[in-house]
PDB file of all heavy atoms in Angstrom:
ATOM      1  N   TYR A  24     -32.805 -41.984 -12.461  1.00  0.00           N
ATOM      2  CA  TYR A  24     -33.833 -41.011 -12.114  1.00  0.00           C
ATOM      3  C   TYR A  24     -35.072 -41.476 -12.837  1.00  0.00           C
ATOM      4  O   TYR A  24     -35.014 -41.846 -13.994  1.00  0.00           O
ATOM      5  CB  TYR A  24     -33.384 -39.655 -12.384  1.00  0.00           C
ATOM      6  CG  TYR A  24     -32.279 -39.285 -11.468  1.00  0.00           C
ATOM      7  CD1 TYR A  24     -30.961 -39.616 -11.547  1.00  0.00           C
ATOM      8  CD2 TYR A  24     -32.628 -38.444 -10.191  1.00  0.00           C
ATOM      9  CE1 TYR A  24     -29.947 -39.355 -10.634  1.00  0.00           C
ATOM     10  CE2 TYR A  24     -31.628 -38.215  -9.324  1.00  0.00           C
ATOM     11  CZ  TYR A  24     -30.377 -38.570  -9.457  1.00  0.00           C
ATOM     12  OH  TYR A  24     -29.345 -38.302  -8.532  1.00  0.00           O
ATOM     13  N   ALA A  25     -36.166 -41.191 -12.322  1.00  0.00           N
ATOM     14  CA  ALA A  25     -37.484 -41.518 -12.916  1.00  0.00           C
ATOM     15  C   ALA A  25     -37.865 -40.705 -14.088  1.00  0.00           C
ATOM     16  O   ALA A  25     -38.511 -41.264 -15.031  1.00  0.00           O
ATOM     17  CB  ALA A  25     -38.618 -41.433 -11.890  1.00  0.00           C
ATOM     18  N   THR A  26     -37.373 -39.514 -14.232  1.00  0.00           N
ATOM     19  CA  THR A  26     -37.606 -38.493 -15.393  1.00  0.00           C
ATOM     20  C   THR A  26     -36.474 -37.929 -15.765  1.00  0.00           C
ATOM     21  O   THR A  26     -35.525 -37.662 -15.111  1.00  0.00           O
ATOM     22  CB  THR A  26     -38.790 -37.587 -14.978  1.00  0.00           C
ATOM     23  OG1 THR A  26     -38.257 -36.652 -14.160  1.00  0.00           O
ATOM     24  CG2 THR A  26     -40.059 -38.223 -14.510  1.00  0.00           C
ATOM     25  N   LEU A  27     -36.382 -37.413 -17.110  1.00  0.00           N
ATOM     26  CA  LEU A  27     -35.327 -36.525 -17.448  1.00  0.00           C
ATOM     27  C   LEU A  27     -35.212 -35.274 -16.655  1.00  0.00           C
ATOM     28  O   LEU A  27     -34.157 -34.784 -16.334  1.00  0.00           O
ATOM     29  CB  LEU A  27     -35.519 -36.310 -19.050  1.00  0.00           C
ATOM     30  CG  LEU A  27     -34.424 -35.455 -19.704  1.00  0.00           C
ATOM     31  CD1 LEU A  27     -33.076 -36.089 -19.575  1.00  0.00           C
ATOM     32  CD2 LEU A  27     -34.683 -35.143 -21.099  1.00  0.00           C
ATOM     33  N   GLY A  28     -36.452 -34.831 -16.357  1.00  0.00           N
ATOM     34  CA  GLY A  28     -36.522 -33.569 -15.548  1.00  0.00           C
ATOM     35  C   GLY A  28     -35.815 -33.782 -14.154  1.00  0.00           C
ATOM     36  O   GLY A  28     -35.174 -32.835 -13.633  1.00  0.00           O
ATOM     37  N   GLU A  29     -35.956 -34.967 -13.518  1.00  0.00           N
ATOM     38  CA  GLU A  29     -35.291 -35.187 -12.178  1.00  0.00           C
ATOM     39  C   GLU A  29     -33.693 -35.312 -12.483  1.00  0.00           C
ATOM     40  O   GLU A  29     -33.052 -34.705 -11.648  1.00  0.00           O
ATOM     41  CB  GLU A  29     -35.856 -36.516 -11.633  1.00  0.00           C
ATOM     42  CG  GLU A  29     -37.258 -36.432 -11.142  1.00  0.00           C
ATOM     43  CD  GLU A  29     -37.664 -37.613 -10.618  1.00  0.00           C
ATOM     44  OE1 GLU A  29     -36.915 -38.653 -10.269  1.00  0.00           O
ATOM     45  OE2 GLU A  29     -38.915 -37.782 -10.234  1.00  0.00           O
ATOM     46  N   LEU A  30     -33.335 -35.948 -13.559  1.00  0.00           N
ATOM     47  CA  LEU A  30     -31.903 -35.945 -13.781  1.00  0.00           C
ATOM     48  C   LEU A  30     -31.366 -34.612 -14.032  1.00  0.00           C
ATOM     49  O   LEU A  30     -30.252 -34.139 -13.459  1.00  0.00           O
ATOM     50  CB  LEU A  30     -31.685 -36.789 -15.098  1.00  0.00           C
ATOM     51  CG  LEU A  30     -30.142 -36.884 -15.585  1.00  0.00           C
ATOM     52  CD1 LEU A  30     -29.330 -37.727 -14.594  1.00  0.00           C
ATOM     53  CD2 LEU A  30     -30.173 -37.500 -16.983  1.00  0.00           C
ATOM     54  N   LEU A  31     -31.961 -33.765 -14.831  1.00  0.00           N
ATOM     55  CA  LEU A  31     -31.526 -32.440 -15.101  1.00  0.00           C
ATOM     56  C   LEU A  31     -31.668 -31.557 -13.778  1.00  0.00           C
ATOM     57  O   LEU A  31     -30.814 -30.708 -13.663  1.00  0.00           O
ATOM     58  CB  LEU A  31     -32.316 -31.881 -16.327  1.00  0.00           C
ATOM     59  CG  LEU A  31     -31.951 -32.569 -17.631  1.00  0.00           C
ATOM     60  CD1 LEU A  31     -32.928 -31.951 -18.714  1.00  0.00           C
ATOM     61  CD2 LEU A  31     -30.587 -32.339 -18.000  1.00  0.00           C
ATOM     62  N   GLY A  32     -32.588 -31.762 -13.037  1.00  0.00           N
ATOM     63  CA  GLY A  32     -32.785 -31.126 -11.881  1.00  0.00           C
ATOM     64  C   GLY A  32     -31.678 -31.347 -10.836  1.00  0.00           C
ATOM     65  O   GLY A  32     -31.095 -30.400 -10.105  1.00  0.00           O
ATOM     66  N   ASN A  33     -31.235 -32.614 -10.828  1.00  0.00           N
ATOM     67  CA  ASN A  33     -30.063 -33.139 -10.166  1.00  0.00           C
ATOM     68  C   ASN A  33     -28.783 -32.354 -10.560  1.00  0.00           C
ATOM     69  O   ASN A  33     -27.885 -31.885  -9.731  1.00  0.00           O
ATOM     70  CB  ASN A  33     -29.924 -34.561  -9.952  1.00  0.00           C
ATOM     71  CG  ASN A  33     -28.898 -35.067  -8.939  1.00  0.00           C
ATOM     72  OD1 ASN A  33     -29.077 -34.671  -7.741  1.00  0.00           O
ATOM     73  ND2 ASN A  33     -27.931 -35.728  -9.328  1.00  0.00           N
ATOM     74  N   TYR A  34     -28.531 -32.424 -11.985  1.00  0.00           N
ATOM     75  CA  TYR A  34     -27.434 -31.758 -12.459  1.00  0.00           C
ATOM     76  C   TYR A  34     -27.421 -30.258 -12.105  1.00  0.00           C
ATOM     77  O   TYR A  34     -26.333 -29.714 -11.579  1.00  0.00           O
ATOM     78  CB  TYR A  34     -27.502 -31.796 -14.009  1.00  0.00           C
ATOM     79  CG  TYR A  34     -26.717 -30.732 -14.725  1.00  0.00           C
ATOM     80  CD1 TYR A  34     -25.440 -30.904 -14.810  1.00  0.00           C
ATOM     81  CD2 TYR A  34     -27.385 -29.580 -15.241  1.00  0.00           C
ATOM     82  CE1 TYR A  34     -24.603 -29.854 -15.476  1.00  0.00           C
ATOM     83  CE2 TYR A  34     -26.696 -28.627 -15.980  1.00  0.00           C
ATOM     84  CZ  TYR A  34     -25.218 -28.759 -16.012  1.00  0.00           C
ATOM     85  OH  TYR A  34     -24.561 -27.880 -16.577  1.00  0.00           O
ATOM     86  N   ARG A  35     -28.417 -29.533 -12.207  1.00  0.00           N
ATOM     87  CA  ARG A  35     -28.655 -28.088 -11.730  1.00  0.00           C
ATOM     88  C   ARG A  35     -28.260 -27.897 -10.298  1.00  0.00           C
ATOM     89  O   ARG A  35     -27.557 -26.949 -10.015  1.00  0.00           O
ATOM     90  CB  ARG A  35     -30.011 -27.561 -12.040  1.00  0.00           C
ATOM     91  CG  ARG A  35     -30.136 -26.035 -11.860  1.00  0.00           C
ATOM     92  CD  ARG A  35     -31.392 -25.387 -12.191  1.00  0.00           C
ATOM     93  NE  ARG A  35     -32.315 -26.392 -12.812  1.00  0.00           N
ATOM     94  CZ  ARG A  35     -33.353 -26.101 -13.483  1.00  0.00           C
ATOM     95  NH1 ARG A  35     -33.535 -24.843 -13.768  1.00  0.00           N
ATOM     96  NH2 ARG A  35     -34.193 -27.032 -13.886  1.00  0.00           N
ATOM     97  N   ARG A  36     -28.780 -28.770  -9.455  1.00  0.00           N
ATOM     98  CA  ARG A  36     -28.565 -28.624  -8.056  1.00  0.00           C
ATOM     99  C   ARG A  36     -27.131 -28.861  -7.638  1.00  0.00           C
ATOM    100  O   ARG A  36     -26.505 -28.170  -6.893  1.00  0.00           O
ATOM    101  CB  ARG A  36     -29.455 -29.748  -7.360  1.00  0.00           C
ATOM    102  CG  ARG A  36     -29.347 -29.702  -5.735  1.00  0.00           C
ATOM    103  CD  ARG A  36     -30.117 -30.808  -5.094  1.00  0.00           C
ATOM    104  NE  ARG A  36     -29.682 -32.183  -5.509  1.00  0.00           N
ATOM    105  CZ  ARG A  36     -28.673 -32.749  -4.986  1.00  0.00           C
ATOM    106  NH1 ARG A  36     -28.017 -32.197  -4.136  1.00  0.00           N
ATOM    107  NH2 ARG A  36     -28.427 -33.979  -5.358  1.00  0.00           N
ATOM    108  N   LEU A  37     -26.465 -30.011  -8.303  1.00  0.00           N
ATOM    109  CA  LEU A  37     -25.143 -30.215  -8.114  1.00  0.00           C
ATOM    110  C   LEU A  37     -24.192 -29.125  -8.636  1.00  0.00           C
ATOM    111  O   LEU A  37     -23.140 -28.742  -8.032  1.00  0.00           O
ATOM    112  CB  LEU A  37     -24.685 -31.614  -8.740  1.00  0.00           C
ATOM    113  CG  LEU A  37     -25.286 -32.754  -7.976  1.00  0.00           C
ATOM    114  CD1 LEU A  37     -25.006 -34.011  -8.819  1.00  0.00           C
ATOM    115  CD2 LEU A  37     -24.860 -33.015  -6.626  1.00  0.00           C
ATOM    116  N   LYS A  38     -24.487 -28.634  -9.765  1.00  0.00           N
ATOM    117  CA  LYS A  38     -23.661 -27.511 -10.336  1.00  0.00           C
ATOM    118  C   LYS A  38     -23.800 -26.328  -9.346  1.00  0.00           C
ATOM    119  O   LYS A  38     -22.673 -25.627  -9.132  1.00  0.00           O
ATOM    120  CB  LYS A  38     -24.127 -27.039 -11.739  1.00  0.00           C
ATOM    121  CG  LYS A  38     -23.457 -25.989 -12.319  1.00  0.00           C
ATOM    122  CD  LYS A  38     -23.860 -25.737 -13.824  1.00  0.00           C
ATOM    123  CE  LYS A  38     -23.090 -24.666 -14.320  1.00  0.00           C
ATOM    124  NZ  LYS A  38     -23.418 -24.274 -15.753  1.00  0.00           N
ATOM    125  N   ALA A  39     -24.819 -25.963  -8.806  1.00  0.00           N
ATOM    126  CA  ALA A  39     -24.893 -24.834  -7.925  1.00  0.00           C
ATOM    127  C   ALA A  39     -24.103 -25.104  -6.684  1.00  0.00           C
ATOM    128  O   ALA A  39     -23.609 -24.182  -5.963  1.00  0.00           O
ATOM    129  CB  ALA A  39     -26.461 -24.686  -7.508  1.00  0.00           C
ATOM    130  N   ALA A  40     -23.981 -26.347  -6.351  1.00  0.00           N
ATOM    131  CA  ALA A  40     -23.174 -26.710  -5.139  1.00  0.00           C
ATOM    132  C   ALA A  40     -21.594 -26.911  -5.454  1.00  0.00           C
ATOM    133  O   ALA A  40     -20.830 -27.287  -4.737  1.00  0.00           O
ATOM    134  CB  ALA A  40     -23.721 -28.132  -4.497  1.00  0.00           C
ATOM    135  N   GLY A  41     -21.251 -26.515  -6.820  1.00  0.00           N
ATOM    136  CA  GLY A  41     -19.909 -26.661  -7.137  1.00  0.00           C
ATOM    137  C   GLY A  41     -19.416 -28.065  -7.646  1.00  0.00           C
ATOM    138  O   GLY A  41     -18.199 -28.304  -7.827  1.00  0.00           O
ATOM    139  N   ILE A  42     -20.411 -28.978  -7.820  1.00  0.00           N
ATOM    140  CA  ILE A  42     -19.943 -30.293  -8.340  1.00  0.00           C
ATOM    141  C   ILE A  42     -20.269 -30.345  -9.879  1.00  0.00           C
ATOM    142  O   ILE A  42     -21.562 -30.317 -10.261  1.00  0.00           O
ATOM    143  CB  ILE A  42     -20.712 -31.445  -7.660  1.00  0.00           C
ATOM    144  CG1 ILE A  42     -20.418 -31.385  -6.125  1.00  0.00           C
ATOM    145  CG2 ILE A  42     -20.430 -32.826  -8.122  1.00  0.00           C
ATOM    146  CD1 ILE A  42     -21.099 -32.310  -5.207  1.00  0.00           C
ATOM    147  N   GLU A  43     -19.296 -30.416 -10.697  1.00  0.00           N
ATOM    148  CA  GLU A  43     -19.503 -30.359 -12.108  1.00  0.00           C
ATOM    149  C   GLU A  43     -19.305 -31.822 -12.714  1.00  0.00           C
ATOM    150  O   GLU A  43     -18.441 -32.653 -12.263  1.00  0.00           O
ATOM    151  CB  GLU A  43     -18.419 -29.619 -12.792  1.00  0.00           C
ATOM    152  CG  GLU A  43     -18.434 -28.128 -12.348  1.00  0.00           C
ATOM    153  CD  GLU A  43     -19.492 -27.246 -13.234  1.00  0.00           C
ATOM    154  OE1 GLU A  43     -20.029 -27.754 -14.249  1.00  0.00           O
ATOM    155  OE2 GLU A  43     -19.856 -26.173 -12.852  1.00  0.00           O
ATOM    156  N   PRO A  44     -20.078 -32.167 -13.748  1.00  0.00           N
ATOM    157  CA  PRO A  44     -19.990 -33.467 -14.403  1.00  0.00           C
ATOM    158  C   PRO A  44     -18.581 -33.567 -15.133  1.00  0.00           C
ATOM    159  O   PRO A  44     -17.979 -32.620 -15.518  1.00  0.00           O
ATOM    160  CB  PRO A  44     -21.039 -33.550 -15.314  1.00  0.00           C
ATOM    161  CG  PRO A  44     -21.557 -32.129 -15.616  1.00  0.00           C
ATOM    162  CD  PRO A  44     -21.155 -31.350 -14.338  1.00  0.00           C
ATOM    163  N   VAL A  45     -18.080 -34.851 -15.209  1.00  0.00           N
ATOM    164  CA  VAL A  45     -16.890 -35.146 -15.912  1.00  0.00           C
ATOM    165  C   VAL A  45     -17.232 -35.614 -17.474  1.00  0.00           C
ATOM    166  O   VAL A  45     -16.283 -35.649 -18.231  1.00  0.00           O
ATOM    167  CB  VAL A  45     -15.906 -36.105 -15.233  1.00  0.00           C
ATOM    168  CG1 VAL A  45     -15.504 -35.403 -13.941  1.00  0.00           C
ATOM    169  CG2 VAL A  45     -16.564 -37.380 -14.983  1.00  0.00           C
ATOM    170  N   TRP A  46     -18.486 -36.049 -17.557  1.00  0.00           N
ATOM    171  CA  TRP A  46     -18.868 -36.526 -18.905  1.00  0.00           C
ATOM    172  C   TRP A  46     -20.356 -36.614 -18.973  1.00  0.00           C
ATOM    173  O   TRP A  46     -20.967 -37.144 -18.041  1.00  0.00           O
ATOM    174  CB  TRP A  46     -18.296 -38.069 -19.094  1.00  0.00           C
ATOM    175  CG  TRP A  46     -18.424 -38.625 -20.399  1.00  0.00           C
ATOM    176  CD1 TRP A  46     -18.424 -38.016 -21.533  1.00  0.00           C
ATOM    177  CD2 TRP A  46     -18.442 -40.089 -20.632  1.00  0.00           C
ATOM    178  NE1 TRP A  46     -18.379 -38.896 -22.657  1.00  0.00           N
ATOM    179  CE2 TRP A  46     -18.342 -40.148 -22.100  1.00  0.00           C
ATOM    180  CE3 TRP A  46     -18.411 -41.232 -19.985  1.00  0.00           C
ATOM    181  CZ2 TRP A  46     -18.334 -41.473 -22.678  1.00  0.00           C
ATOM    182  CZ3 TRP A  46     -18.411 -42.429 -20.485  1.00  0.00           C
ATOM    183  CH2 TRP A  46     -18.446 -42.519 -21.867  1.00  0.00           C
ATOM    184  N   CYS A  47     -20.853 -36.075 -20.068  1.00  0.00           N
ATOM    185  CA  CYS A  47     -22.235 -36.164 -20.383  1.00  0.00           C
ATOM    186  C   CYS A  47     -22.496 -36.934 -21.678  1.00  0.00           C
ATOM    187  O   CYS A  47     -21.865 -36.373 -22.766  1.00  0.00           O
ATOM    188  CB  CYS A  47     -22.830 -34.806 -20.433  1.00  0.00           C
ATOM    189  SG  CYS A  47     -22.596 -33.837 -18.907  1.00  0.00           S
ATOM    190  N   ILE A  48     -23.246 -37.949 -21.651  1.00  0.00           N
ATOM    191  CA  ILE A  48     -23.339 -38.667 -22.998  1.00  0.00           C
ATOM    192  C   ILE A  48     -24.788 -39.390 -23.028  1.00  0.00           C
ATOM    193  O   ILE A  48     -25.338 -39.847 -22.036  1.00  0.00           O
ATOM    194  CB  ILE A  48     -22.293 -39.839 -23.015  1.00  0.00           C
ATOM    195  CG1 ILE A  48     -22.319 -40.579 -24.421  1.00  0.00           C
ATOM    196  CG2 ILE A  48     -22.316 -40.824 -21.805  1.00  0.00           C
ATOM    197  CD1 ILE A  48     -21.040 -41.322 -24.673  1.00  0.00           C
ATOM    198  N   ASN A  49     -25.258 -39.484 -24.286  1.00  0.00           N
ATOM    199  CA  ASN A  49     -26.533 -40.147 -24.590  1.00  0.00           C
ATOM    200  C   ASN A  49     -26.024 -41.438 -25.124  1.00  0.00           C
ATOM    201  O   ASN A  49     -25.563 -41.547 -26.160  1.00  0.00           O
ATOM    202  CB  ASN A  49     -27.430 -39.351 -25.520  1.00  0.00           C
ATOM    203  CG  ASN A  49     -28.750 -40.108 -25.786  1.00  0.00           C
ATOM    204  OD1 ASN A  49     -28.786 -41.303 -25.843  1.00  0.00           O
ATOM    205  ND2 ASN A  49     -29.676 -39.364 -25.771  1.00  0.00           N
ATOM    206  N   HIS A  50     -26.304 -42.522 -24.324  1.00  0.00           N
ATOM    207  CA  HIS A  50     -25.975 -43.917 -24.688  1.00  0.00           C
ATOM    208  C   HIS A  50     -26.994 -44.536 -25.640  1.00  0.00           C
ATOM    209  O   HIS A  50     -26.770 -45.687 -26.105  1.00  0.00           O
ATOM    210  CB  HIS A  50     -25.718 -44.851 -23.502  1.00  0.00           C
ATOM    211  CG  HIS A  50     -24.530 -44.451 -22.625  1.00  0.00           C
ATOM    212  ND1 HIS A  50     -23.266 -44.669 -23.008  1.00  0.00           N
ATOM    213  CD2 HIS A  50     -24.521 -44.059 -21.348  1.00  0.00           C
ATOM    214  CE1 HIS A  50     -22.551 -44.311 -21.986  1.00  0.00           C
ATOM    215  NE2 HIS A  50     -23.210 -43.990 -21.026  1.00  0.00           N
ATOM    216  N   GLY A  51     -27.947 -43.851 -25.812  1.00  0.00           N
ATOM    217  CA  GLY A  51     -29.098 -44.357 -26.732  1.00  0.00           C
ATOM    218  C   GLY A  51     -30.142 -44.809 -25.772  1.00  0.00           C
ATOM    219  O   GLY A  51     -31.264 -44.301 -25.716  1.00  0.00           O
ATOM    220  N   PHE A  52     -29.834 -45.878 -25.038  1.00  0.00           N
ATOM    221  CA  PHE A  52     -30.877 -46.346 -23.996  1.00  0.00           C
ATOM    222  C   PHE A  52     -30.930 -45.569 -22.725  1.00  0.00           C
ATOM    223  O   PHE A  52     -31.891 -45.694 -22.017  1.00  0.00           O
ATOM    224  CB  PHE A  52     -30.631 -47.816 -23.756  1.00  0.00           C
ATOM    225  CG  PHE A  52     -29.243 -48.211 -23.307  1.00  0.00           C
ATOM    226  CD1 PHE A  52     -28.956 -48.291 -21.918  1.00  0.00           C
ATOM    227  CD2 PHE A  52     -28.172 -48.439 -24.213  1.00  0.00           C
ATOM    228  CE1 PHE A  52     -27.703 -48.584 -21.472  1.00  0.00           C
ATOM    229  CE2 PHE A  52     -26.956 -48.777 -23.807  1.00  0.00           C
ATOM    230  CZ  PHE A  52     -26.698 -48.817 -22.375  1.00  0.00           C
ATOM    231  N   THR A  53     -29.880 -44.784 -22.487  1.00  0.00           N
ATOM    232  CA  THR A  53     -29.887 -43.910 -21.346  1.00  0.00           C
ATOM    233  C   THR A  53     -29.354 -42.460 -21.779  1.00  0.00           C
ATOM    234  O   THR A  53     -28.453 -42.474 -22.597  1.00  0.00           O
ATOM    235  CB  THR A  53     -29.003 -44.317 -20.142  1.00  0.00           C
ATOM    236  OG1 THR A  53     -27.734 -44.386 -20.533  1.00  0.00           O
ATOM    237  CG2 THR A  53     -29.507 -45.680 -19.654  1.00  0.00           C
ATOM    238  N   THR A  54     -29.799 -41.483 -21.017  1.00  0.00           N
ATOM    239  CA  THR A  54     -29.008 -40.201 -21.052  1.00  0.00           C
ATOM    240  C   THR A  54     -28.308 -40.101 -19.761  1.00  0.00           C
ATOM    241  O   THR A  54     -28.944 -40.262 -18.741  1.00  0.00           O
ATOM    242  CB  THR A  54     -30.148 -38.991 -21.124  1.00  0.00           C
ATOM    243  OG1 THR A  54     -30.886 -39.238 -22.266  1.00  0.00           O
ATOM    244  CG2 THR A  54     -29.443 -37.650 -21.030  1.00  0.00           C
ATOM    245  N   SER A  55     -27.016 -39.879 -19.778  1.00  0.00           N
ATOM    246  CA  SER A  55     -26.196 -40.209 -18.596  1.00  0.00           C
ATOM    247  C   SER A  55     -25.263 -38.880 -18.319  1.00  0.00           C
ATOM    248  O   SER A  55     -24.718 -38.346 -19.228  1.00  0.00           O
ATOM    249  CB  SER A  55     -25.291 -41.399 -18.705  1.00  0.00           C
ATOM    250  OG  SER A  55     -26.144 -42.518 -18.945  1.00  0.00           O
ATOM    251  N   ILE A  56     -25.153 -38.641 -17.107  1.00  0.00           N
ATOM    252  CA  ILE A  56     -24.360 -37.553 -16.621  1.00  0.00           C
ATOM    253  C   ILE A  56     -23.359 -38.189 -15.572  1.00  0.00           C
ATOM    254  O   ILE A  56     -23.918 -38.708 -14.576  1.00  0.00           O
ATOM    255  CB  ILE A  56     -25.115 -36.321 -16.097  1.00  0.00           C
ATOM    256  CG1 ILE A  56     -26.004 -35.824 -17.190  1.00  0.00           C
ATOM    257  CG2 ILE A  56     -24.078 -35.227 -15.509  1.00  0.00           C
ATOM    258  CD1 ILE A  56     -27.072 -34.730 -16.563  1.00  0.00           C
ATOM    259  N   TYR A  57     -22.187 -38.084 -15.844  1.00  0.00           N
ATOM    260  CA  TYR A  57     -21.141 -38.773 -14.957  1.00  0.00           C
ATOM    261  C   TYR A  57     -20.397 -37.848 -14.026  1.00  0.00           C
ATOM    262  O   TYR A  57     -20.046 -36.704 -14.547  1.00  0.00           O
ATOM    263  CB  TYR A  57     -20.151 -39.550 -15.709  1.00  0.00           C
ATOM    264  CG  TYR A  57     -20.599 -40.749 -16.424  1.00  0.00           C
ATOM    265  CD1 TYR A  57     -21.229 -40.663 -17.580  1.00  0.00           C
ATOM    266  CD2 TYR A  57     -20.450 -42.147 -15.903  1.00  0.00           C
ATOM    267  CE1 TYR A  57     -21.582 -41.759 -18.320  1.00  0.00           C
ATOM    268  CE2 TYR A  57     -20.784 -43.148 -16.636  1.00  0.00           C
ATOM    269  CZ  TYR A  57     -21.488 -43.018 -17.794  1.00  0.00           C
ATOM    270  OH  TYR A  57     -21.877 -44.189 -18.427  1.00  0.00           O
ATOM    271  N   TYR A  58     -20.134 -38.198 -12.801  1.00  0.00           N
ATOM    272  CA  TYR A  58     -19.427 -37.460 -11.949  1.00  0.00           C
ATOM    273  C   TYR A  58     -18.150 -38.289 -11.264  1.00  0.00           C
ATOM    274  O   TYR A  58     -18.279 -39.541 -11.360  1.00  0.00           O
ATOM    275  CB  TYR A  58     -20.241 -36.949 -10.741  1.00  0.00           C
ATOM    276  CG  TYR A  58     -21.321 -36.055 -11.144  1.00  0.00           C
ATOM    277  CD1 TYR A  58     -22.623 -36.593 -11.463  1.00  0.00           C
ATOM    278  CD2 TYR A  58     -21.343 -34.656 -11.295  1.00  0.00           C
ATOM    279  CE1 TYR A  58     -23.561 -35.810 -11.975  1.00  0.00           C
ATOM    280  CE2 TYR A  58     -22.251 -33.869 -11.704  1.00  0.00           C
ATOM    281  CZ  TYR A  58     -23.408 -34.482 -12.058  1.00  0.00           C
ATOM    282  OH  TYR A  58     -24.482 -33.661 -12.428  1.00  0.00           O
ATOM    283  N   CYS A  59     -17.173 -37.636 -10.715  1.00  0.00           N
ATOM    284  CA  CYS A  59     -16.100 -38.420 -10.085  1.00  0.00           C
ATOM    285  C   CYS A  59     -16.234 -37.957  -8.480  1.00  0.00           C
ATOM    286  O   CYS A  59     -16.345 -36.943  -8.180  1.00  0.00           O
ATOM    287  CB  CYS A  59     -14.764 -38.019 -10.597  1.00  0.00           C
ATOM    288  SG  CYS A  59     -14.334 -38.858 -12.038  1.00  0.00           S
ATOM    289  N   ASP A  60     -16.215 -39.041  -7.633  1.00  0.00           N
ATOM    290  CA  ASP A  60     -16.113 -38.838  -6.310  1.00  0.00           C
ATOM    291  C   ASP A  60     -14.716 -38.416  -5.807  1.00  0.00           C
ATOM    292  O   ASP A  60     -13.760 -38.458  -6.690  1.00  0.00           O
ATOM    293  CB  ASP A  60     -16.686 -39.985  -5.592  1.00  0.00           C
ATOM    294  CG  ASP A  60     -15.838 -41.140  -5.441  1.00  0.00           C
ATOM    295  OD1 ASP A  60     -14.713 -41.076  -5.706  1.00  0.00           O
ATOM    296  OD2 ASP A  60     -16.502 -42.217  -4.925  1.00  0.00           O
ATOM    297  N   PRO A  61     -14.648 -38.049  -4.530  1.00  0.00           N
ATOM    298  CA  PRO A  61     -13.281 -37.538  -4.173  1.00  0.00           C
ATOM    299  C   PRO A  61     -12.165 -38.584  -4.220  1.00  0.00           C
ATOM    300  O   PRO A  61     -10.951 -38.263  -4.468  1.00  0.00           O
ATOM    301  CB  PRO A  61     -13.513 -37.153  -2.596  1.00  0.00           C
ATOM    302  CG  PRO A  61     -14.933 -36.796  -2.575  1.00  0.00           C
ATOM    303  CD  PRO A  61     -15.598 -37.755  -3.531  1.00  0.00           C
ATOM    304  N   ASP A  62     -12.453 -39.927  -4.329  1.00  0.00           N
ATOM    305  CA  ASP A  62     -11.528 -40.938  -4.541  1.00  0.00           C
ATOM    306  C   ASP A  62     -11.219 -41.184  -5.996  1.00  0.00           C
ATOM    307  O   ASP A  62     -10.445 -42.073  -6.389  1.00  0.00           O
ATOM    308  CB  ASP A  62     -11.917 -42.192  -3.886  1.00  0.00           C
ATOM    309  CG  ASP A  62     -11.633 -42.376  -2.349  1.00  0.00           C
ATOM    310  OD1 ASP A  62     -10.776 -41.325  -1.936  1.00  0.00           O
ATOM    311  OD2 ASP A  62     -12.078 -43.210  -1.809  1.00  0.00           O
ATOM    312  N   GLY A  63     -11.973 -40.496  -7.001  1.00  0.00           N
ATOM    313  CA  GLY A  63     -11.813 -40.696  -8.393  1.00  0.00           C
ATOM    314  C   GLY A  63     -12.698 -41.836  -8.944  1.00  0.00           C
ATOM    315  O   GLY A  63     -12.637 -42.158 -10.105  1.00  0.00           O
TER     316      GLY A  63
END
């Protein structure tokens, strides 16, 4: 995502749709929010 705001906006949108992240981590060079699709 181009901005942290866009990443967090996507997180908020997905949470409202019932899709929760499985891992949230700051790798240093990226701020990352991970999800699992239906196949894992």
Side-chain angles (χ1 to χ4, degrees):
Y24 290 79
T26 67
L27 182 59
E29 288 179 12
L30 175 70
L31 293 171
N33 191 58
Y34 159 76
R35 187 179 355 204
R36 183 182 63 78
L37 292 173
K38 184 175 180 179
I42 299 173
E43 296 280 345
V45 295
W46 191 26
C47 300
I48 186 160
N49 185 320
H50 291 296
F52 55 95
T53 66
T54 298
S55 301
I56 302 175
Y57 290 82
Y58 300 89
C59 278
D60 74 13
D62 280 349

